Amino acid sequence: MNARTGTAIALVSALTFIFCAKAAVWAQTPQPVTPPAANASQDSTNDLSLAVGKSVVLDLARPVTRIVVGLGDFAQAQAVSPTQLLLSGKAPGETSLIIWDRSGGRQFFNVTVRPSSFAANDQLDSVRRELRAELPGQTLRVSQENGSVFLRGTVNSLNSSERAVLIASTGGKVVNLLNVNVPTADPQILLKVRFASIDRTKSKSLGINIFSTGFGNTIGTISTGQFSPPGVATPTAGAAPTATVSNALNLFAFYPGINLGATIEALESRGLGEVLAEPNLLAKNGHQASFLAGGEYPVPVAQTSGGVGGAAPVTIQFKEYGVLLSFIPTITTRGTIRLQVAPEVSALDFGNAVNIGGFTVPALTVRRVKTEVELSDGQSFAIGGLLDNRESETFNKIPFLGDIPILGKFFQSIQRTRSNTELIVIVTPEIVTPIEAGVAIPELKFPQGFLPPLSPIPMHTPDIKAAGSTPVPPPATIPIEKLIESMKPETPLVPETGMGVGGGGGGGGAVTSSGP
């Protein structure tokens, strides 16, 4: 076989392969683009579009001498005959194709390579399969355009919507256009709380003060100083001495014949105080509720500036005290109630009061608990052991005289005070439902009836519904963004007081004065 024969065989084999490839391309793609014949003296521009993995055959009017593709990463071109060109798409994008013929003319092609629809459809099919498997019985539709996945249909809950978005995100950026079935009302949680506070005090006082108005030609007093002694005035000429008793304590004795007297403190006291409160609070699942049985007391606060004539103004702020309860109930997936509860019991303490600018501000005795527990419906827990045991003792004596055996007791004084306080809190959460319409509402029974009404018309808001009309039912489904918006917590209430606006923990009113 000579060289000419081998070249002829190779040419026939190449033409056969090109013919088979061209037949396959024509079977899978639209009719090939046949650009108009190019003038040898004038350039021509054409638009050409194909998909990734597809090929087109260009039939040219004149034999080709040179081919150039702008970006070979997007498309590939090769001559299959002197007047035929095979163009294949490699990756999505845009590029240019320039062809030179033997007469010197050029042809320009703007080549656009689209993404393969097969890969996109295969990916969407996998997303649809996963949605059907994870969310059976829920109507979901998935489509794709410009790289974004559009999710439409109706789901049962927010949890199903989140799962659908998570699955669809594997196909690209998700545009959530789902509707959600309107959920039922959140359950209501009733919190039954019992506060029991027991205060016990016991004190004992023993002391003596001795005074003389002339015994042994001596005028004076003997005292330990713990209990106020009587005052003896020095007599003037021709007058008898006198004694002034400011506090007779509980025993007082005076012997005129010897001009000798004594005041004795011998007291023993016991006190018992009990406080019981049983507030019942109702709150929606996951929302906070609070309760206060007590009041607010004013606290003067001096301002640093704003006074007239150099005097600092004084602002009155109000602080809360009493029995305070705040809690947040949450129903868990196990059906239990997780409860954040913060009970507090406080009282005014004038024994530790302070004086600010002429105002007496009492202190507060506070017992506060903050905890988080988890209970089943109807179960209870108790917070106990909040004990406060105190003992104070004051002992005074007169030097030397108070150390004499037996007789030295007359020159000693003692005061002992013991206090015992205990707080117990019992909490019981329950899941409750409202009283249905038409069912009798429980009412209080008063020992004495009120005056009869002035008008025979019942004093309540009239029913505006016409006879035979039915209320408009709520929609079955709503867009997911509206459901999420409706579930946001409301703005907390800020109670208003008659004193204006003030700062402080109690949030009460404020009164300003420019005192000294």
Side-chain angles (χ1 to χ4, degrees), residues 182-274:
V182 176
T184 58
D186 287 339
Q188 313 291 322
I189 301 174
L190 176 66
L191 190 67
K192 299 179 179 179
V193 185
R194 298 185 65 185
F195 290 89
S197 176
I198 302 175
D199 298 336
R200 293 177 293 180
T201 59
K202 183 179 180 181
S203 62
K204 182 178 181 180
S205 303
L206 181 62
I208 186 172
N209 295 320
I210 302 174
F211 64 94
S212 171
T213 59
F215 177 74
N217 295 324
T218 302
I219 298 175
T221 61
I222 299 176
S223 173
T224 60
Q226 184 171 1
F227 305 110
S228 300
V232 179
T234 303
T236 57
T242 59
T244 304
V245 179
S246 59
N247 182 15
L249 302 180
N250 62 323
L251 292 176
F252 174 74
F254 182 74
Y255 300 93
I258 59 176
N259 295 326
L260 186 66
T263 56
I264 302 173
E265 168 81 359
L267 291 176
E268 183 174 350
S269 61
R270 295 181 180 180
L272 176 63
E274 297 180 356

Side-chain angles (χ1 to χ4, degrees), residues 169 263 276 314 355 376:
S169 63
T263 56
L276 178 64
V314 177
N355 192 284
S376 297

Side-chain angles (χ1 to χ4, degrees), residues 15 18-19 22 26 57-64 67 78-86:
L15 291 175
I18 293 172
F19 176 78
K22 181 177 180 181
W26 274 79
V57 176
L58 302 180
D59 293 323
L60 305 174
R62 297 180 178 85
V64 178
I67 304 170
Q78 67 181 56
V80 296
S81 72
T83 59
Q84 288 184 335
L85 184 67
L86 180 65

Side-chain angles (χ1 to χ4, degrees), residues 118-128 144 170-172:
F118 173 80
N121 292 334
D122 183 66
Q123 192 173 30
L124 287 183
D125 288 340
S126 64
V127 170
R128 294 187 183 100
Q144 189 177 45
T170 59

Side-chain angles (χ1 to χ4, degrees), residues 123-124 127 144 147-149 165-175:
Q123 192 173 30
L124 287 183
V127 170
Q144 189 177 45
S148 298
V149 178
V165 171
L166 185 62
I167 295 172
S169 63
T170 59
K173 181 181 178 181
V174 179
V175 179

Side-chain angles (χ1 to χ4, degrees), residues 343-357:
E344 176 183 320
V345 177
S346 58
L348 298 179
D349 183 10
F350 287 93
N352 296 316
V354 296
N355 192 284
I356 302 177

Side-chain angles (χ1 to χ4, degrees), residues 5 62 89 113 192 323 333 404 448 487:
T5 304
R62 297 180 178 85
V113 182
K192 299 179 179 179
V323 179
T333 55
I404 299 175
Q448 297 291 334
M487 297 178 64

